[in-house]
């Protein structure tokens, strides 16, 4: 809801709405978390020893919060798995507001990472039990692991995730210091290690200081190198960009934890029974076919990924209209653009990749129809107030030759029911005047109605609305007010 405020309402109404919501009396519920999750009191934070070698994740939350309630069971399960390694805890901000204020908590739930008794960094990771577990596991131990032998290097890179390894000629160089600073900032997302012996990397053709990015062995393929070398001037920013541009490769494994990072670009995803823990070869069978086709369409602004369809069943159904029975053992293929446009490949995925190539040809040529979850377009739509569904929204509302005043409503909303006859009569009266001749009309009416609802608890009378309409359209309209 807040996303629409800047575009719909004047600034004083935004302030009014914020103050109205902020002044709502808080409600209190019993604790959302089990008893073994520590309650952090003011005295606990005050006495926390900076010498205590503890990686610590407190959650700041009020007693009643929808997002907090959603997080609670995930936080619970993660705490159980991390018990003994990382302490998870909660602070009730309705009771300990001073503590929450001291740590700059302004939204809920807020998670912060404490290391050695100090506020180390905001938690910026996933909010599922598995995601919290994996993210916080990386918080234990050093920012970067010191590798002493070639066996250490091989053991470190032979991991489920990618590895970033810095190779330096000594322990006192500025490049190593900068690498360690970067590792401290990025350790939540990536695995870091370093060595001060150049000979450790000589088997990879390395004879000078550099940073090596090893992609996961499970994703090894013939279409790209498994090792990427960074030899540019080393800064935190340049290393961050290098990792961002190369960590995922041509076709990464999309998970619930990394999907948001992958979806900052236009993304094609093939969903199938993928399981890299138990069936690496089978998981790579379809991935290799996606990569073979993707290698032909490089440089055209589309990225590629594969995912386990069981992890995304609800998303496939809600966002793309694909049910569990669709496709069978064959992959589902979808495209989601960074603007939110969605496309599905309706043709079966053929093993030779020809169907995927045809899908991509149609996509780049602009021949694909976007998927929109929608009710059927009404066959007859001749009333003064046109019925708009998702599929017809662009044709009716975003028509570049018309301005449209549209009412977003819920059939069960009492305010919507009360407004319906007024809205119909308004449309019937002003249709000859080209309703909403000026686009400001919709914004003004909505803002005016919001002002009345928040201040007076009721909608304005019809003369008030019509006065506003006259100001917006420069048309003189009279209307007897039934409320007087």
């Amino acid at each position: 809801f807040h996303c629409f405020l800047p575009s719909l309402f004047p600034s004083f109404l935004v302030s009014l709405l914020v103050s109205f919501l902020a002044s709502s009396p808080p409600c209190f519920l019993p604790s959302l978390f089990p008893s073994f999750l520590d309650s952090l009191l003011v005295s606990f934070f005050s006495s926390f020893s900076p010498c205590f070698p503890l990686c610590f994740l407190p959650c700041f939350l009020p007693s009643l919060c929808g997002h907090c309630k959603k997080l609670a069971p995930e936080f619970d399960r993660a705490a159980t798995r991390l018990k003994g390694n990382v302490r998870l805890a909660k602070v009730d901000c309705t009771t300990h507001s001073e503590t929450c204020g001291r740590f700059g908590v302004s939204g809920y739930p807020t998670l912060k990472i404490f290391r050695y008794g100090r506020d180390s960094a905001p938690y910026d990771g996933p909010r599922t039990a598995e995601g919290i577990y994996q993210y916080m596991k990386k918080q234990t131990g050093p920012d970067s692991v010191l590798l002493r032998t070639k066996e250490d290097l091989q053991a470190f890179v032979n991991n489920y995730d990618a590895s970033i390894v810095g190779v330096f000629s000594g322990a006192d160089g500025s490049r190593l210091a900068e690498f360690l600073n970067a590792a401290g900032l990025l350790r939540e997302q990536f695995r870091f290690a370093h060595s001060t012996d150049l000979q450790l990397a000589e088997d990879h053709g390395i004879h000078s200081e550099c940073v090596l990015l090893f992609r996961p062995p499970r994703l090894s393929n013939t279409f790209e190198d498994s090792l990427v070398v960074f030899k540019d001037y080393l800064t935190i920013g340049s290393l961050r960009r290098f990792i961002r541009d190369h960590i995922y490769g041509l076709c990464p494994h999309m998970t619930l934890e990394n999907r948001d990072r992958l979806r900052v670009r236009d993304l094609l995803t093939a969903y199938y029974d993928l399981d890299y823990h138990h069936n690496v070869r089978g998981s790579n069978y379809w991935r290799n076919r996606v990569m073979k086709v993707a290698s032909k369409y490089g440089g055209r602004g589309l990225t590629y990924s594969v995912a386990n369809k069981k992890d995304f069943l609800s998303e496939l159904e809600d966002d793309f209209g694909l049910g569990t029975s669709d496709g069978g053992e064959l992959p589902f293929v979808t495209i989601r653009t960074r603007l939110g446009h969605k496309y599905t490949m309706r043709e079966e995925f053929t093993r030779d990749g020809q169907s995927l190539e045809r899908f991509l040809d149609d996509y780049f040529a602009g021949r694909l129809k976007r998927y929109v979850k929608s009710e059927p377009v009404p066959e007859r739509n001749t009333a003064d107030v046109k019925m708009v569904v998702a599929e017809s929204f662009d044709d009716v509302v975003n028509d570049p030759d018309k301005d449209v005043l549209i009412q977003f409503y819920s059939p069960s909303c009492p305010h919507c029911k009360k407004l319906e006859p007024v809205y119909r009569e308004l449309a019937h009266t002003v249709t000859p005047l080209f309703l909403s001749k000026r686009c400001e009309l919709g914004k003004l009416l909505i803002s005016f109605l919001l002002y009345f609802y928040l201040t007076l608890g009721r909608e304005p009378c019809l003369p008030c609305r019509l006065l506003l309409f006259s100001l917006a359209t420069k048309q003189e309209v009279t209307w007897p007010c039934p409320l007087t």
Side-chain angles (χ1 to χ4, degrees):
F1 175 72
H2 293 85
C3 299
F4 296 96
L5 288 176
S7 61
L8 288 178
F9 308 126
S11 58
F12 81 92
L13 282 175
V14 175
S15 301
L16 176 63
L17 178 59
V18 172
S19 61
F20 175 81
L21 296 175
S23 63
S24 299
C27 300
F28 300 92
L29 289 180
S31 173
L32 296 175
F33 295 88
S35 58
F36 74 85
L37 292 175
D38 304 325
S39 290
L40 300 182
L41 304 180
V42 178
S43 58
F44 182 89
F45 276 105
S46 300
S47 62
F48 206 100
S49 170
C51 300
F52 195 79
L54 178 66
C55 186
F56 184 58
L57 180 67
C59 176
F60 298 85
L61 75 167
S63 297
L64 180 59
C65 161
H67 297 298
C68 304
K69 292 171 68 176
K70 183 178 179 181
L71 175 64
E74 303 293 334
F75 202 71
D76 181 0
R77 287 192 289 271
T80 301
R81 296 182 63 183
L82 289 167
K83 192 173 183 180
N85 295 309
V86 180
R87 180 178 295 176
L88 272 64
K90 69 181 180 73
V91 180
D92 186 343
C93 289
T94 57
T95 304
H96 304 293
S97 57
E98 183 179 344
T99 300
C100 296
R102 184 149 60 92
F103 291 99
V105 176
S106 58
Y108 308 111
T110 293
L111 287 82
K112 289 179 173 287
I113 298 171
F114 282 72
R115 187 177 287 110
Y116 301 104
R118 296 185 179 275
D119 185 352
S120 173
Y123 176 88
D124 193 29
R127 299 204 173 188
T128 62
E130 178 65 22
I132 295 172
Y133 172 74
Q134 294 294 343
Y135 192 96
M136 293 308 298
K137 268 186 63 179
K138 296 176 182 178
Q139 297 299 318
T140 60
D143 296 334
S144 177
V145 177
L146 176 61
L147 306 178
R148 302 181 185 278
T149 65
K150 293 181 179 181
E151 290 74 20
D152 291 343
L153 173 61
Q154 187 59 39
F156 184 78
V157 302
N158 188 25
N159 192 273
Y160 190 83
D161 297 317
S163 307
I164 297 95
V165 179
V167 183
F168 305 97
S169 57
D172 301 325
S174 59
R175 289 169 61 87
L176 173 58
E178 191 72 4
F179 178 84
L180 294 178
N181 288 336
L185 292 174
L186 302 175
R187 61 175 292 162
E188 292 85 2
Q189 302 176 46
F190 311 111
R191 305 174 65 250
F192 289 90
H194 65 279
S195 174
T196 56
D197 184 357
L198 291 178
Q199 293 184 355
L200 253 68
E202 61 183 5
D203 292 346
H204 301 284
I206 302 302
H207 304 287
S208 60
E209 292 189 340
C210 63
V211 177
L212 309 177
L213 189 156
F214 293 87
R215 296 190 176 117
R218 63 188 170 91
L219 300 181
S220 177
N221 62 83
T222 60
F223 300 97
E224 61 185 352
D225 295 329
S226 297
L227 172 65
V228 188
V229 182
F230 175 74
K231 292 185 177 181
D232 294 343
Y233 183 74
L234 180 59
T235 65
I236 294 175
S238 63
L239 183 58
R240 188 199 302 268
R241 288 189 294 272
F242 167 75
I243 296 172
R244 179 197 63 197
D245 293 341
H246 296 90
I247 190 75
Y248 294 119
L250 182 60
C251 185
H253 172 199
M254 184 177 76
T255 65
L256 295 172
E257 282 69 45
N258 68 14
R259 61 181 172 182
D260 291 338
R261 293 196 292 270
L262 291 175
R263 287 175 177 169
V264 297
R265 302 176 181 177
D266 298 346
L267 180 68
L268 178 147
T269 305
Y271 300 87
Y272 55 94
D273 292 327
L274 178 152
D275 186 353
Y276 277 112
H277 290 288
H278 302 100
N279 187 8
V280 174
R281 184 177 179 181
S283 297
N284 280 328
Y285 178 83
W286 290 113
R287 178 173 178 265
N288 287 334
R289 279 145 183 80
V290 173
M291 296 183 76
K292 182 178 179 181
V293 174
S295 62
K296 300 178 182 180
Y297 292 84
R300 302 185 68 173
L302 185 66
T303 57
Y304 303 84
S305 67
V306 293
N308 184 356
K309 67 180 181 182
K310 294 179 181 178
D311 292 339
F312 295 90
L313 285 179
S314 60
E315 183 176 295
L316 287 169
E317 182 175 352
D318 294 341
D319 292 355
F320 295 96
L322 297 171
T324 56
S325 60
D326 296 334
E329 295 182 355
L330 300 176
F332 302 146
V333 178
T334 70
I335 293 176
R336 183 194 297 266
T337 72
R338 62 185 181 277
L339 297 177
H341 299 164
K342 293 168 283 190
Y343 306 88
T344 60
M345 188 175 87
R346 294 299 178 180
E347 186 180 356
E348 282 192 349
F349 197 125
T350 56
R351 298 177 190 274
D352 60 5
Q354 293 297 312
S355 60
L356 182 58
E357 288 192 27
R358 288 190 288 272
F359 177 64
L360 287 173
D361 286 339
D362 289 341
Y363 170 73
F364 287 118
R367 293 190 293 265
L368 291 182
K369 182 180 179 181
R370 280 192 288 156
Y371 172 77
V372 179
K373 189 175 183 179
S374 173
E375 295 179 347
V377 177
E379 294 183 4
R380 293 180 58 84
N381 204 11
T382 58
D384 293 326
V385 177
K386 308 301 182 186
M387 180 59 68
V388 180
V389 296
E391 189 171 345
S392 63
F393 189 91
D394 282 343
D395 294 336
V396 177
V397 179
N398 292 332
D399 185 339
D401 297 325
K402 296 180 181 179
D403 292 323
V404 177
L405 171 63
I406 184 166
Q407 177 196 17
F408 295 90
Y409 74 101
S410 168
S412 60
C413 168
H415 299 296
C416 301
K417 293 178 180 178
K418 186 176 181 181
L419 181 61
E420 183 178 359
V422 177
Y423 197 70
R424 283 202 305 266
E425 189 173 353
L426 176 66
H428 178 73
T429 303
V430 300
T431 294
L433 302 176
F434 300 100
L435 180 61
S436 190
K437 183 175 286 188
R438 293 171 176 262
C439 61
E440 288 87 351
L441 171 64
K443 298 179 183 178
L444 285 171
L445 284 178
I446 294 172
S447 299
F448 197 67
L449 287 169
L450 177 66
Y451 173 76
F452 266 77
Y453 278 128
L454 292 182
T455 57
L456 304 179
R458 64 176 179 86
E459 63 186 50
C461 67
L462 295 180
C464 294
R465 282 199 290 268
L466 287 176
L467 173 62
L468 207 58
F469 177 81
S470 299
L471 291 173
T473 63
K474 306 303 181 184
Q475 301 288 344
E476 183 178 354
V477 181
T478 60
W479 198 332
C481 176
L483 301 180
T484 58

